[in-house]
Amino acid sequence: MENTICANPRCRNSIPKISALLTRARERDMPVVYSLTHAGNVSDIAYPLSPATQDPVVKSNVDKFYETDLDKILHDRRIQTVVITGYAANGAVLHTATAAAFRGYNVVIPVEGMSAPNPYAEQYTAWHMLNSPGTRNRAILTKMNLIAFCH
């Protein structure tokens, strides 16, 4: 949710929703990992979603596993399920979620936490995650208020 790319209303409207989920995750001491575009900086992240000092940050193209330490970060923390939010649904959310599923992670995508310039891109991402042979057995689409954090 870099300010430079999260400029349309659909993206901006998802920030408070993601912020509420982030707060719930932090209250349960859940690890949070941030991703940026190649040109992004931590200071570009929308203020309500600012990372804590201990939060790892990776920088990559649309697949945030590509040429980053993301898999190692998750593996070292014994993470089995990832919750993915962000912009753009049909970019980083789709490709990072797919890459996570290919690596054996369970993937949870809260639909109100992924946005794109138009609803079709969001719908396509949802359809793809639930129907693609590589993701359909690992992906869950849900609403944020239905996510429960436990250790």
Side-chain angles (χ1 to χ4, degrees):
M1 307 308 266
E2 296 172 40
N3 289 312
T4 52
I5 60 172
C6 184
N8 68 58
R10 296 184 73 74
C11 185
R12 302 304 290 167
N13 290 339
S14 68
I15 290 173
K17 297 168 188 169
I18 295 170
S19 178
L21 182 66
L22 179 62
T23 298
R24 288 181 42 225
R26 289 195 190 287
E27 287 170 352
R28 297 290 298 198
D29 293 322
M30 304 308 295
V32 177
V33 180
Y34 284 79
S35 67
L36 296 168
T37 60
H38 280 297
N41 293 302
V42 171
S43 61
D44 296 332
I45 296 172
Y47 177 74
L49 306 175
S50 297
T53 354
Q54 74 275 9
D55 295 334
V57 179
V58 298
K59 291 175 92 168
S60 189
N61 61 15
V62 293
D63 172 1
K64 302 307 179 177
F65 284 91
Y66 181 72
E67 295 185 348
T68 71
D69 292 340
L70 182 54
D71 194 38
K72 181 179 179 354
I73 291 165
L74 298 174
H75 184 267
D76 288 352
R77 289 168 174 76
R78 296 188 174 110
I79 302 299
Q80 297 175 350
T81 301
V82 295
V83 178
I84 298 178
T85 63
Y87 182 86
N90 57 316
V93 174
L94 173 65
H95 295 286
T96 302
T98 298
F102 287 170
R103 285 169 173 80
Y105 296 99
N106 298 309
V107 178
V108 176
I109 303 173
V111 292
E112 69 271 43
M114 65 169 184
S115 57
N118 62 68
Y120 177 77
E122 296 166 14
Q123 292 167 349
Y124 169 74
T125 300
W127 183 91
H128 179 97
M129 292 307 300
L130 294 178
N131 292 282
S132 173
T135 58
R136 67 179 170 226
N137 295 323
R138 294 239 168 235
I140 296 173
L141 266 64
T142 189
K143 301 282 282 177
M144 288 190 195
N145 65 337
L146 299 176
I147 296 174
F149 295 104
C150 56
H151 291 293

